[in-house]
Structure formats: C-alpha cells, structure tokens
Amino acid sequence: MIVLMNTGGVAMTNCFLVADETTQKAVLFDAPDHTVGPLLDEAARRGWDLAGLWLTHGHFDHFADHAEVRKRFPKAQILIHQLDAAKAGNPVQQTRMFGLPFVIPPVDADAFVTDNQVLRLGSLEVRVIHTPGHAPGHVCYYLPAEKTLIGGDLIIGGSVGRTDLPDSDHAALEASIRRVMKLPGDTRLLGGHGPASTLDEERRNNPFVQASLFSDDPA
C-alpha cells in the first residue's frame, strides 16, 4: 500500500491518496478545497486507476474539490454516509455559515456507505466504521491488514472534532472515540487535520481521548 498526503484549503485539511500497488487501483479520501490537484496529478503520472472519492463526512472542507476529482477521473465513485448526504448535497448552507469566498457544487454521491461495510481497494480490504458525533454521518475507513485508520475529524492529532456545530453531538463523539480506541494500539491514524499518529500515541497524549475513555458513559 502507498499513501500520499496533501494538506490545504481554508481549514488546512488533509486528504489522502491510497493505492494498492499490486493492482494499480487507488482511492482519494476526502477532497479539501484547493488541495486535490497535486494528488490527482500524481495518480495520473503513476498510471493509477482512481476508483473512488470516499468521504469521511459532509463538512465543506472535506468535499469541496469533489468536482475536480470527477472531472479528472469520471469513473471515480463518490461515497458518503447517508446521514451526511444532505449536507454535502446542499453546500450553500455551509458556504454562508462560514462566509466562504468560493462556490462549492453539490455532491451527488454514487452510493452510501454503512457501518461495518467492507469495501475493496484493489486487493486491500477497507472496513467502514460509523463514528457519529462531529457529524451524524461521520465515518472512518479502517484497513486492518495495513493497520491504518483514515479517521476524518474524529481524533485529530492531539485534539478531537468540534461538537459546537448544529448537528454535532458530544456524547456520540465520545462513544465513537471509545469504539475506535478498541482497535490495535499500533494502528496508524491518518486524521483529517494535523500530523499522523497512532492510537497508542493518542491514548497517551491526547487529553480529549483520555477524557472520553474515562467518561461515565457506557462503552
């Protein structure tokens, strides 16, 4: 497995291009504004078949460049959880809320992902983990054989996703954190913002994760 990363946009959001070098299949995880171009260039340069744009959730900074992906790779399938599809399908609400100086076309997803669904990226198995809280349709993508979790805005390098947005839920976020922290501690965490880490590092150093783990809420 090859992982390439680029960070940018108004919220300095990460996107990841993950490829199975044995089959030359690749998927882009999230598409921040003004950010995906170099990764798409690299996919084309290496001759990879970009099979999809798999979104972690429907906040604008994670899907704003989706139209560029579709233009460059028309066969790429856009996936999102159904609970966040309406948000991504009507981005004008977010552009107004955050005062964005650019227009984002609505996302027309090809399919909805569901909890525990198993996807294929070439020969790689990718399991969908529904992790609501930051957003109701937030998901993580777990590659067990590669010990890698593409975590969106659940746990983000010493912090966690904000829960002061209209459809956020802090108790749900804490429950989602407890769920993913049951994965092997050496799992590499590729979050939606900030540097990569591991679940063990977040357990040791992230006070928000620690607070969730020791919460009185049931696991």
Side-chain angles (χ1 to χ4, degrees), residues 129-134 138 140 149 151 153-156 159-163 169-183 189 199 202-203 206-215 219:
I129 305 176
H130 183 211
T131 50
H134 177 62
H138 190 287
C140 299
L149 181 71
D153 285 359
L154 181 64
I155 303 170
I156 45 178
S159 187
V160 295
R162 58 189 292 187
T163 55
D169 183 325
H170 189 74
L173 179 83
E174 290 193 324
S176 294
I177 290 170
R178 289 193 293 272
R179 182 181 182 190
V180 302
M181 292 302 291
K182 293 177 181 177
L183 298 174
L189 174 63
L199 295 185
E202 298 298 330
R203 185 186 300 272
N206 188 327
F208 302 97
V209 168
Q210 293 167 357
S212 297
L213 293 175
F214 291 101
S215 169

mmCIF file of all heavy atoms in Angstrom, residues 129-134 138 140 149 151 153-156 159-163 169-183 189 199 202-203 206-215 219:
data_model
loop_
_atom_site.group_PDB
_atom_site.id
_atom_site.type_symbol
_atom_site.label_atom_id
_atom_site.label_comp_id
_atom_site.label_asym_id
_atom_site.label_seq_id
_atom_site.Cartn_x
_atom_site.Cartn_y
_atom_site.Cartn_z
ATOM 1 N N ILE A 129 -16.371 2.263 9.481
ATOM 2 C CA ILE A 129 -16.787 2.354 10.884
ATOM 3 C C ILE A 129 -17.567 3.657 11.045
ATOM 4 O O ILE A 129 -17.019 4.747 10.887
ATOM 5 C CB ILE A 129 -15.582 2.343 11.838
ATOM 6 C CG1 ILE A 129 -14.702 1.115 11.594
ATOM 7 C CG2 ILE A 129 -16.063 2.362 13.298
ATOM 8 C CD1 ILE A 129 -13.430 1.102 12.447
ATOM 9 N N HIS A 130 -18.853 3.550 11.348
ATOM 10 C CA HIS A 130 -19.677 4.740 11.545
ATOM 11 C C HIS A 130 -19.316 5.355 12.889
ATOM 12 O O HIS A 130 -19.435 4.707 13.935
ATOM 13 C CB HIS A 130 -21.160 4.348 11.503
ATOM 14 C CG HIS A 130 -22.083 5.510 11.628
ATOM 15 N ND1 HIS A 130 -23.327 5.416 12.212
ATOM 16 C CD2 HIS A 130 -21.956 6.825 11.256
ATOM 17 C CE1 HIS A 130 -23.923 6.591 12.186
ATOM 18 N NE2 HIS A 130 -23.110 7.463 11.610
ATOM 19 N N THR A 131 -18.870 6.590 12.868
ATOM 20 C CA THR A 131 -18.369 7.263 14.070
ATOM 21 C C THR A 131 -19.033 8.631 14.216
ATOM 22 O O THR A 131 -18.399 9.670 14.041
ATOM 23 C CB THR A 131 -16.846 7.415 14.007
ATOM 24 O OG1 THR A 131 -16.484 7.993 12.733
ATOM 25 C CG2 THR A 131 -16.141 6.073 14.165
ATOM 26 N N PRO A 132 -20.319 8.659 14.540
ATOM 27 C CA PRO A 132 -21.024 9.944 14.661
ATOM 28 C C PRO A 132 -20.532 10.765 15.849
ATOM 29 O O PRO A 132 -19.878 10.249 16.758
ATOM 30 C CB PRO A 132 -22.478 9.515 14.851
ATOM 31 C CG PRO A 132 -22.395 8.164 15.482
ATOM 32 C CD PRO A 132 -21.184 7.513 14.869
ATOM 33 N N GLY A 133 -20.886 12.031 15.831
ATOM 34 C CA GLY A 133 -20.528 12.956 16.911
ATOM 35 C C GLY A 133 -20.134 14.300 16.348
ATOM 36 O O GLY A 133 -20.846 15.287 16.500
ATOM 37 N N HIS A 134 -19.005 14.342 15.662
ATOM 38 C CA HIS A 134 -18.615 15.563 14.951
ATOM 39 C C HIS A 134 -19.648 15.879 13.862
ATOM 40 O O HIS A 134 -19.971 17.045 13.625
ATOM 41 C CB HIS A 134 -17.221 15.365 14.357
ATOM 42 C CG HIS A 134 -16.727 16.513 13.534
ATOM 43 N ND1 HIS A 134 -16.532 17.777 14.047
ATOM 44 C CD2 HIS A 134 -16.387 16.586 12.219
ATOM 45 C CE1 HIS A 134 -16.088 18.581 13.098
ATOM 46 N NE2 HIS A 134 -16.003 17.880 11.975
ATOM 47 N N HIS A 138 -20.558 10.860 10.067
ATOM 48 C CA HIS A 138 -19.103 10.718 10.037
ATOM 49 C C HIS A 138 -18.716 9.241 10.047
ATOM 50 O O HIS A 138 -19.272 8.446 10.795
ATOM 51 C CB HIS A 138 -18.484 11.423 11.252
ATOM 52 C CG HIS A 138 -16.993 11.550 11.189
ATOM 53 N ND1 HIS A 138 -16.149 10.480 11.377
ATOM 54 C CD2 HIS A 138 -16.191 12.613 10.948
ATOM 55 C CE1 HIS A 138 -14.901 10.888 11.269
ATOM 56 N NE2 HIS A 138 -14.905 12.184 10.998
ATOM 57 N N CYS A 140 -15.112 6.464 9.649
ATOM 58 C CA CYS A 140 -13.685 6.209 9.484
ATOM 59 C C CYS A 140 -13.527 5.021 8.546
ATOM 60 O O CYS A 140 -14.423 4.174 8.436
ATOM 61 C CB CYS A 140 -13.026 5.896 10.822
ATOM 62 S SG CYS A 140 -13.103 7.211 12.055
ATOM 63 N N LEU A 149 -5.922 3.587 9.962
ATOM 64 C CA LEU A 149 -7.260 4.139 10.119
ATOM 65 C C LEU A 149 -7.274 5.540 9.527
ATOM 66 O O LEU A 149 -6.543 6.422 9.984
ATOM 67 C CB LEU A 149 -7.651 4.202 11.595
ATOM 68 C CG LEU A 149 -9.054 4.743 11.903
ATOM 69 C CD1 LEU A 149 -10.116 3.733 11.475
ATOM 70 C CD2 LEU A 149 -9.193 5.070 13.388
ATOM 71 N N GLY A 151 -9.166 8.584 9.630
ATOM 72 C CA GLY A 151 -10.078 8.909 10.707
ATOM 73 C C GLY A 151 -10.880 10.178 10.576
ATOM 74 O O GLY A 151 -11.647 10.500 11.483
ATOM 75 N N ASP A 153 -12.403 13.613 11.063
ATOM 76 C CA ASP A 153 -12.315 14.566 12.168
ATOM 77 C C ASP A 153 -12.762 13.960 13.496
ATOM 78 O O ASP A 153 -13.274 14.665 14.366
ATOM 79 C CB ASP A 153 -13.158 15.809 11.865
ATOM 80 C CG ASP A 153 -12.488 16.714 10.852
ATOM 81 O OD1 ASP A 153 -11.371 16.390 10.402
ATOM 82 O OD2 ASP A 153 -13.092 17.743 10.483
ATOM 83 N N LEU A 154 -12.555 12.666 13.659
ATOM 84 C CA LEU A 154 -12.855 12.050 14.954
ATOM 85 C C LEU A 154 -11.757 12.403 15.953
ATOM 86 O O LEU A 154 -11.987 13.084 16.951
ATOM 87 C CB LEU A 154 -13.004 10.534 14.809
ATOM 88 C CG LEU A 154 -13.337 9.789 16.097
ATOM 89 C CD1 LEU A 154 -14.693 10.194 16.647
ATOM 90 C CD2 LEU A 154 -13.253 8.282 15.897
ATOM 91 N N ILE A 155 -10.553 11.943 15.689
ATOM 92 C CA ILE A 155 -9.375 12.246 16.508
ATOM 93 C C ILE A 155 -8.371 12.913 15.574
ATOM 94 O O ILE A 155 -8.008 12.337 14.547
ATOM 95 C CB ILE A 155 -8.772 10.979 17.121
ATOM 96 C CG1 ILE A 155 -9.820 10.242 17.962
ATOM 97 C CG2 ILE A 155 -7.545 11.314 17.965
ATOM 98 C CD1 ILE A 155 -9.381 8.851 18.403
ATOM 99 N N ILE A 156 -7.919 14.110 15.935
ATOM 100 C CA ILE A 156 -7.091 14.882 15.001
ATOM 101 C C ILE A 156 -5.829 15.396 15.689
ATOM 102 O O ILE A 156 -5.747 16.546 16.084
ATOM 103 C CB ILE A 156 -7.899 16.030 14.358
ATOM 104 C CG1 ILE A 156 -8.736 16.793 15.389
ATOM 105 C CG2 ILE A 156 -8.823 15.491 13.292
ATOM 106 C CD1 ILE A 156 -9.510 17.971 14.806
ATOM 107 N N SER A 159 -6.147 16.421 19.441
ATOM 108 C CA SER A 159 -7.446 17.000 19.711
ATOM 109 C C SER A 159 -8.520 16.064 19.168
ATOM 110 O O SER A 159 -8.245 14.915 18.819
ATOM 111 C CB SER A 159 -7.553 18.396 19.082
ATOM 112 O OG SER A 159 -8.754 19.042 19.478
ATOM 113 N N VAL A 160 -9.747 16.561 19.094
ATOM 114 C CA VAL A 160 -10.853 15.794 18.520
ATOM 115 C C VAL A 160 -11.723 16.756 17.710
ATOM 116 O O VAL A 160 -11.564 17.976 17.784
ATOM 117 C CB VAL A 160 -11.711 15.099 19.609
ATOM 118 C CG1 VAL A 160 -10.897 14.055 20.352
ATOM 119 C CG2 VAL A 160 -12.300 16.122 20.585
ATOM 120 N N GLY A 161 -12.649 16.195 16.956
ATOM 121 C CA GLY A 161 -13.540 17.026 16.155
ATOM 122 C C GLY A 161 -14.434 17.904 17.015
ATOM 123 O O GLY A 161 -14.886 17.486 18.091
ATOM 124 N N ARG A 162 -14.711 19.088 16.542
ATOM 125 C CA ARG A 162 -15.546 20.028 17.292
ATOM 126 C C ARG A 162 -16.989 19.520 17.343
ATOM 127 O O ARG A 162 -17.465 18.851 16.431
ATOM 128 C CB ARG A 162 -15.492 21.417 16.656
ATOM 129 C CG ARG A 162 -15.937 21.451 15.221
ATOM 130 C CD ARG A 162 -15.669 22.787 14.556
ATOM 131 N NE ARG A 162 -16.496 23.867 15.107
ATOM 132 C CZ ARG A 162 -16.533 25.101 14.604
ATOM 133 N NH1 ARG A 162 -15.773 25.408 13.538
ATOM 134 N NH2 ARG A 162 -17.302 26.018 15.135
ATOM 135 N N THR A 163 -17.670 19.879 18.424
ATOM 136 C CA THR A 163 -19.062 19.451 18.581
ATOM 137 C C THR A 163 -19.978 20.639 18.899
ATOM 138 O O THR A 163 -21.010 20.482 19.544
ATOM 139 C CB THR A 163 -19.199 18.377 19.671
ATOM 140 O OG1 THR A 163 -18.628 18.855 20.898
ATOM 141 C CG2 THR A 163 -18.517 17.085 19.265
ATOM 142 N N ASP A 169 -22.820 16.152 18.221
ATOM 143 C CA ASP A 169 -23.292 15.518 19.454
ATOM 144 C C ASP A 169 -22.067 15.038 20.226
ATOM 145 O O ASP A 169 -21.406 14.077 19.831
ATOM 146 C CB ASP A 169 -24.217 14.344 19.115
ATOM 147 C CG ASP A 169 -24.818 13.680 20.331
ATOM 148 O OD1 ASP A 169 -24.150 13.598 21.375
ATOM 149 O OD2 ASP A 169 -25.973 13.205 20.232
ATOM 150 N N HIS A 170 -21.761 15.721 21.343
ATOM 151 C CA HIS A 170 -20.525 15.414 22.058
ATOM 152 C C HIS A 170 -20.540 14.018 22.669
ATOM 153 O O HIS A 170 -19.517 13.313 22.647
ATOM 154 C CB HIS A 170 -20.272 16.458 23.153
ATOM 155 C CG HIS A 170 -18.920 16.323 23.782
ATOM 156 N ND1 HIS A 170 -17.761 16.703 23.146
ATOM 157 C CD2 HIS A 170 -18.544 15.824 24.987
ATOM 158 C CE1 HIS A 170 -16.727 16.460 23.929
ATOM 159 N NE2 HIS A 170 -17.169 15.921 25.049
ATOM 160 N N ALA A 171 -21.679 13.610 23.219
ATOM 161 C CA ALA A 171 -21.759 12.270 23.802
ATOM 162 C C ALA A 171 -21.543 11.203 22.738
ATOM 163 O O ALA A 171 -20.859 10.190 22.977
ATOM 164 C CB ALA A 171 -23.109 12.070 24.488
ATOM 165 N N ALA A 172 -22.095 11.418 21.552
ATOM 166 C CA ALA A 172 -21.884 10.470 20.455
ATOM 167 C C ALA A 172 -20.424 10.447 20.028
ATOM 168 O O ALA A 172 -19.872 9.384 19.711
ATOM 169 C CB ALA A 172 -22.783 10.828 19.270
ATOM 170 N N LEU A 173 -19.774 11.620 20.017
ATOM 171 C CA LEU A 173 -18.353 11.681 19.680
ATOM 172 C C LEU A 173 -17.537 10.849 20.654
ATOM 173 O O LEU A 173 -16.658 10.068 20.258
ATOM 174 C CB LEU A 173 -17.869 13.130 19.691
ATOM 175 C CG LEU A 173 -16.383 13.312 19.366
ATOM 176 C CD1 LEU A 173 -16.171 13.318 17.861
ATOM 177 C CD2 LEU A 173 -15.836 14.595 19.979
ATOM 178 N N GLU A 174 -17.813 10.998 21.948
ATOM 179 C CA GLU A 174 -17.062 10.233 22.940
ATOM 180 C C GLU A 174 -17.277 8.736 22.764
ATOM 181 O O GLU A 174 -16.333 7.943 22.892
ATOM 182 C CB GLU A 174 -17.449 10.678 24.346
ATOM 183 C CG GLU A 174 -16.958 12.074 24.703
ATOM 184 C CD GLU A 174 -17.078 12.379 26.182
ATOM 185 O OE1 GLU A 174 -18.063 11.911 26.802
ATOM 186 O OE2 GLU A 174 -16.197 13.073 26.717
ATOM 187 N N ALA A 175 -18.503 8.331 22.461
ATOM 188 C CA ALA A 175 -18.775 6.911 22.227
ATOM 189 C C ALA A 175 -18.017 6.402 20.998
ATOM 190 O O ALA A 175 -17.489 5.288 20.996
ATOM 191 C CB ALA A 175 -20.274 6.685 22.061
ATOM 192 N N SER A 176 -17.942 7.229 19.964
ATOM 193 C CA SER A 176 -17.209 6.846 18.758
ATOM 194 C C SER A 176 -15.718 6.720 19.048
ATOM 195 O O SER A 176 -15.052 5.806 18.539
ATOM 196 C CB SER A 176 -17.451 7.871 17.652
ATOM 197 O OG SER A 176 -18.804 7.873 17.228
ATOM 198 N N ILE A 177 -15.186 7.631 19.857
ATOM 199 C CA ILE A 177 -13.773 7.548 20.228
ATOM 200 C C ILE A 177 -13.507 6.254 20.974
ATOM 201 O O ILE A 177 -12.519 5.536 20.705
ATOM 202 C CB ILE A 177 -13.366 8.772 21.070
ATOM 203 C CG1 ILE A 177 -13.351 10.022 20.194
ATOM 204 C CG2 ILE A 177 -12.005 8.556 21.728
ATOM 205 C CD1 ILE A 177 -13.197 11.319 20.967
ATOM 206 N N ARG A 178 -14.368 5.912 21.920
ATOM 207 C CA ARG A 178 -14.164 4.670 22.663
ATOM 208 C C ARG A 178 -14.194 3.458 21.735
ATOM 209 O O ARG A 178 -13.437 2.503 21.916
ATOM 210 C CB ARG A 178 -15.224 4.535 23.756
ATOM 211 C CG ARG A 178 -15.031 5.520 24.909
ATOM 212 C CD ARG A 178 -15.893 5.154 26.107
ATOM 213 N NE ARG A 178 -17.314 5.309 25.841
ATOM 214 C CZ ARG A 178 -17.998 6.438 26.013
ATOM 215 N NH1 ARG A 178 -17.368 7.539 26.429
ATOM 216 N NH2 ARG A 178 -19.297 6.495 25.758
ATOM 217 N N ARG A 179 -15.039 3.544 20.720
ATOM 218 C CA ARG A 179 -15.126 2.409 19.797
ATOM 219 C C ARG A 179 -13.827 2.235 19.008
ATOM 220 O O ARG A 179 -13.291 1.116 18.928
ATOM 221 C CB ARG A 179 -16.302 2.614 18.839
ATOM 222 C CG ARG A 179 -16.483 1.463 17.871
ATOM 223 C CD ARG A 179 -17.637 1.680 16.918
ATOM 224 N NE ARG A 179 -17.785 0.520 16.033
ATOM 225 C CZ ARG A 179 -18.571 0.486 14.977
ATOM 226 N NH1 ARG A 179 -19.313 1.536 14.680
ATOM 227 N NH2 ARG A 179 -18.627 -0.599 14.211
ATOM 228 N N VAL A 180 -13.316 3.295 18.423
ATOM 229 C CA VAL A 180 -12.118 3.131 17.602
ATOM 230 C C VAL A 180 -10.888 2.857 18.447
ATOM 231 O O VAL A 180 -9.937 2.211 17.981
ATOM 232 C CB VAL A 180 -11.871 4.344 16.675
ATOM 233 C CG1 VAL A 180 -13.049 4.575 15.766
ATOM 234 C CG2 VAL A 180 -11.532 5.587 17.449
ATOM 235 N N MET A 181 -10.898 3.292 19.700
ATOM 236 C CA MET A 181 -9.750 3.034 20.550
ATOM 237 C C MET A 181 -9.648 1.564 20.966
ATOM 238 O O MET A 181 -8.664 1.162 21.594
ATOM 239 C CB MET A 181 -9.785 3.946 21.773
ATOM 240 C CG MET A 181 -9.561 5.423 21.458
ATOM 241 S SD MET A 181 -7.986 5.771 20.608
ATOM 242 C CE MET A 181 -6.824 5.417 21.934
ATOM 243 N N LYS A 182 -10.640 0.769 20.598
ATOM 244 C CA LYS A 182 -10.551 -0.681 20.813
ATOM 245 C C LYS A 182 -9.761 -1.373 19.708
ATOM 246 O O LYS A 182 -9.430 -2.561 19.834
ATOM 247 C CB LYS A 182 -11.959 -1.275 20.899
ATOM 248 C CG LYS A 182 -12.743 -0.830 22.122
ATOM 249 C CD LYS A 182 -14.152 -1.397 22.122
ATOM 250 C CE LYS A 182 -14.944 -0.925 23.340
ATOM 251 N NZ LYS A 182 -16.349 -1.413 23.308
ATOM 252 N N LEU A 183 -9.447 -0.658 18.638
ATOM 253 C CA LEU A 183 -8.594 -1.204 17.593
ATOM 254 C C LEU A 183 -7.163 -1.343 18.135
ATOM 255 O O LEU A 183 -6.820 -0.742 19.159
ATOM 256 C CB LEU A 183 -8.606 -0.284 16.373
ATOM 257 C CG LEU A 183 -9.962 -0.089 15.681
ATOM 258 C CD1 LEU A 183 -9.836 0.958 14.575
ATOM 259 C CD2 LEU A 183 -10.494 -1.397 15.136
ATOM 260 N N LEU A 189 -2.932 6.326 12.592
ATOM 261 C CA LEU A 189 -4.092 7.212 12.469
ATOM 262 C C LEU A 189 -3.769 8.343 11.503
ATOM 263 O O LEU A 189 -2.868 9.149 11.751
ATOM 264 C CB LEU A 189 -4.472 7.777 13.832
ATOM 265 C CG LEU A 189 -5.586 8.829 13.842
ATOM 266 C CD1 LEU A 189 -6.905 8.235 13.348
ATOM 267 C CD2 LEU A 189 -5.751 9.430 15.224
ATOM 268 N N LEU A 199 -2.925 5.173 17.465
ATOM 269 C CA LEU A 199 -3.926 5.175 18.527
ATOM 270 C C LEU A 199 -3.264 5.151 19.899
ATOM 271 O O LEU A 199 -3.765 5.778 20.843
ATOM 272 C CB LEU A 199 -4.881 3.998 18.349
ATOM 273 C CG LEU A 199 -5.754 4.029 17.093
ATOM 274 C CD1 LEU A 199 -6.736 2.866 17.111
ATOM 275 C CD2 LEU A 199 -6.510 5.354 16.963
ATOM 276 N N GLU A 202 -2.245 8.662 20.767
ATOM 277 C CA GLU A 202 -3.395 9.470 21.169
ATOM 278 C C GLU A 202 -3.868 9.077 22.575
ATOM 279 O O GLU A 202 -4.267 9.940 23.368
ATOM 280 C CB GLU A 202 -4.532 9.317 20.162
ATOM 281 C CG GLU A 202 -4.193 9.802 18.760
ATOM 282 C CD GLU A 202 -3.875 11.287 18.698
ATOM 283 O OE1 GLU A 202 -4.419 12.061 19.513
ATOM 284 O OE2 GLU A 202 -3.067 11.683 17.829
ATOM 285 N N ARG A 203 -3.798 7.811 22.898
ATOM 286 C CA ARG A 203 -4.189 7.359 24.240
ATOM 287 C C ARG A 203 -3.282 7.970 25.309
ATOM 288 O O ARG A 203 -3.729 8.372 26.377
ATOM 289 C CB ARG A 203 -4.136 5.836 24.317
ATOM 290 C CG ARG A 203 -4.638 5.248 25.640
ATOM 291 C CD ARG A 203 -4.406 3.751 25.693
ATOM 292 N NE ARG A 203 -5.095 3.064 24.622
ATOM 293 C CZ ARG A 203 -6.344 2.628 24.708
ATOM 294 N NH1 ARG A 203 -7.041 2.808 25.817
ATOM 295 N NH2 ARG A 203 -6.894 1.994 23.690
ATOM 296 N N ASN A 206 -3.349 12.554 24.253
ATOM 297 C CA ASN A 206 -4.498 13.363 23.869
ATOM 298 C C ASN A 206 -5.478 13.443 25.034
ATOM 299 O O ASN A 206 -6.167 12.472 25.350
ATOM 300 C CB ASN A 206 -5.173 12.742 22.639
ATOM 301 C CG ASN A 206 -6.261 13.623 22.047
ATOM 302 O OD1 ASN A 206 -6.944 14.338 22.768
ATOM 303 N ND2 ASN A 206 -6.432 13.550 20.737
ATOM 304 N N PRO A 207 -5.588 14.604 25.698
ATOM 305 C CA PRO A 207 -6.462 14.696 26.872
ATOM 306 C C PRO A 207 -7.937 14.509 26.542
ATOM 307 O O PRO A 207 -8.709 14.054 27.396
ATOM 308 C CB PRO A 207 -6.194 16.111 27.399
ATOM 309 C CG PRO A 207 -5.678 16.875 26.219
ATOM 310 C CD PRO A 207 -4.898 15.883 25.412
ATOM 311 N N PHE A 208 -8.334 14.815 25.315
ATOM 312 C CA PHE A 208 -9.730 14.634 24.924
ATOM 313 C C PHE A 208 -10.065 13.157 24.754
ATOM 314 O O PHE A 208 -11.151 12.712 25.116
ATOM 315 C CB PHE A 208 -10.013 15.407 23.639
ATOM 316 C CG PHE A 208 -9.737 16.879 23.742
ATOM 317 C CD1 PHE A 208 -8.529 17.401 23.305
ATOM 318 C CD2 PHE A 208 -10.675 17.732 24.308
ATOM 319 C CE1 PHE A 208 -8.266 18.758 23.409
ATOM 320 C CE2 PHE A 208 -10.421 19.092 24.422
ATOM 321 C CZ PHE A 208 -9.209 19.603 23.978
ATOM 322 N N VAL A 209 -9.130 12.412 24.208
ATOM 323 C CA VAL A 209 -9.306 10.958 24.122
ATOM 324 C C VAL A 209 -9.332 10.355 25.512
ATOM 325 O O VAL A 209 -10.174 9.500 25.830
ATOM 326 C CB VAL A 209 -8.192 10.333 23.266
ATOM 327 C CG1 VAL A 209 -8.188 8.809 23.410
ATOM 328 C CG2 VAL A 209 -8.364 10.723 21.801
ATOM 329 N N GLN A 210 -8.428 10.803 26.369
ATOM 330 C CA GLN A 210 -8.394 10.280 27.739
ATOM 331 C C GLN A 210 -9.704 10.565 28.454
ATOM 332 O O GLN A 210 -10.237 9.695 29.163
ATOM 333 C CB GLN A 210 -7.211 10.892 28.480
ATOM 334 C CG GLN A 210 -5.856 10.457 27.956
ATOM 335 C CD GLN A 210 -4.714 11.301 28.479
ATOM 336 O OE1 GLN A 210 -4.927 12.270 29.211
ATOM 337 N NE2 GLN A 210 -3.496 10.934 28.116
ATOM 338 N N ALA A 211 -10.235 11.758 28.269
ATOM 339 C CA ALA A 211 -11.495 12.097 28.929
ATOM 340 C C ALA A 211 -12.632 11.215 28.410
ATOM 341 O O ALA A 211 -13.503 10.796 29.184
ATOM 342 C CB ALA A 211 -11.822 13.563 28.683
ATOM 343 N N SER A 212 -12.617 10.902 27.113
ATOM 344 C CA SER A 212 -13.657 10.041 26.558
ATOM 345 C C SER A 212 -13.554 8.631 27.092
ATOM 346 O O SER A 212 -14.548 7.989 27.402
ATOM 347 C CB SER A 212 -13.537 10.019 25.019
ATOM 348 O OG SER A 212 -13.754 11.307 24.477
ATOM 349 N N LEU A 213 -12.319 8.141 27.217
ATOM 350 C CA LEU A 213 -12.120 6.774 27.691
ATOM 351 C C LEU A 213 -12.541 6.610 29.154
ATOM 352 O O LEU A 213 -12.977 5.528 29.559
ATOM 353 C CB LEU A 213 -10.672 6.366 27.514
ATOM 354 C CG LEU A 213 -10.189 6.239 26.069
ATOM 355 C CD1 LEU A 213 -8.697 5.938 26.027
ATOM 356 C CD2 LEU A 213 -10.960 5.140 25.347
ATOM 357 N N PHE A 214 -12.394 7.657 29.923
ATOM 358 C CA PHE A 214 -12.733 7.580 31.346
ATOM 359 C C PHE A 214 -14.091 8.206 31.655
ATOM 360 O O PHE A 214 -14.437 8.426 32.806
ATOM 361 C CB PHE A 214 -11.642 8.238 32.188
ATOM 362 C CG PHE A 214 -10.354 7.459 32.183
ATOM 363 C CD1 PHE A 214 -9.290 7.854 31.381
ATOM 364 C CD2 PHE A 214 -10.238 6.307 32.963
ATOM 365 C CE1 PHE A 214 -8.127 7.122 31.375
ATOM 366 C CE2 PHE A 214 -9.066 5.590 32.938
ATOM 367 C CZ PHE A 214 -7.987 5.977 32.145
ATOM 368 N N SER A 215 -14.853 8.476 30.586
ATOM 369 C CA SER A 215 -16.190 9.019 30.774
ATOM 370 C C SER A 215 -17.087 8.015 31.456
ATOM 371 O O SER A 215 -16.892 6.806 31.379
ATOM 372 C CB SER A 215 -16.778 9.406 29.416
ATOM 373 O OG SER A 215 -18.147 9.710 29.520
ATOM 374 N N ALA A 219 -19.526 2.193 27.415
ATOM 375 C CA ALA A 219 -18.684 1.991 26.222
ATOM 376 C C ALA A 219 -19.484 1.305 25.133
ATOM 377 O O ALA A 219 -20.465 0.660 25.408
ATOM 378 C CB ALA A 219 -17.467 1.160 26.586
#
